[in-house]
Amino acid sequence: MSDQKLVVAVSSRALFDLDESHTIFETQGKEAFCRYQIEHENEILQPGFGFSLVKKFLDINKAFPGAPLVEIILLSQNSADTGLRIFNSINHYELAITRAAFTSGVSPYEYIPAFGAHLFLSANNEDVRKALAAGYAAATIVSGAVANPSPQLRIAFDGDAVLFSDESERIYQQHGLAAFAANERSEAHKPLSGGPLKEFLSALHRIQTHFDQDISPIRTALVTARAAPAHERVVRTLRAWGIRIDEALFLGGMSKGAFLKAFGADIFFDDQKGHCDSAEQHQVAAAHVPHGVTNQQ
């Protein structure tokens, strides 16, 4: 992966609203879908759930002279032929996206390492699961929201099974809260292993180091169900990684949506669909990371 810039890969359905053509694909088949896309290739697509996030990522480059800090890659199951409509829409919205892979119905996740992507954001849950199983950072964007008017990009993360491994979550699921708390207390000085989005957070942190903290174009938050005393291991883990997180909310099991709204999150990553639903109820875009023990049940 590139150490020089953050690379985010997005699917065409994450970037644009392709529900109508996707319904045609599912109900009438591939040929009807291709015919529809070609017939409508000069019609501009409406923004999808990930559009405002992508735009904010690209706007970071305008704040920093020199080499781009962020690159957006398109990974699409469209063919190059039907993908013309996608690029026509990209050009219409003046999005600086020039690299793409069109795979004609095959999951495009195998191109993630070739492009050096730190994250793959898709509307296709199966593609995301395949990417995670292969060891790549990925999330399924499951809801959108009215774009946060602030130019600052605000990204919130759950902890266990997202930024961190699910090792502690497994203890909680198998042995209960008391055993979890006892383990975190005894292991407080032992850093947690990294989860699927650790390198994405690290790449965000590298961008933040180019700016003074009070004018950074990115602000991050950890929003976790953990509470004292289980908070200490998390703090010490981030310290051991050398990663700054701007805000840390230890909610002790409280619903996350209202806190995400207060933070002004442009997107929230969580391994549990219930927390993603809570974010959506408070008009915060959410992305599900189908990883770890809670997604094996």
Side-chain angles (χ1 to χ4, degrees), residues 192-206:
L192 288 154
S193 302
L197 267 59
K198 176 193 173 184
E199 292 306 318
F200 174 53
L201 176 62
S202 180
L204 292 172
H205 174 74
R206 284 199 298 273

Side-chain angles (χ1 to χ4, degrees), residues 48-59:
F49 287 160
F51 182 91
S52 61
L53 179 71
V54 165
K55 194 171 186 311
K56 278 196 171 184
F57 268 126
L58 292 171
D59 284 346

Side-chain angles (χ1 to χ4, degrees), residues 152-206:
Q152 187 177 55
L153 175 60
R154 296 191 164 208
I155 302 180
F157 299 89
D158 180 37
D160 295 294
V162 177
L163 293 182
F164 314 119
S165 72
D166 70 340
E167 60 197 77
S168 296
E169 181 69 22
R170 286 181 179 275
I171 293 173
Y172 172 71
Q173 294 290 335
Q174 294 168 9
H175 304 292
L177 181 60
F180 166 81
N183 179 76
E184 296 308 282
R185 191 181 297 110
S186 66
E187 300 290 321
H189 290 263
K190 180 182 177 182
L192 288 154
S193 302
L197 267 59
K198 176 193 173 184
E199 292 306 318
F200 174 53
L201 176 62
S202 180
L204 292 172
H205 174 74
R206 284 199 298 273

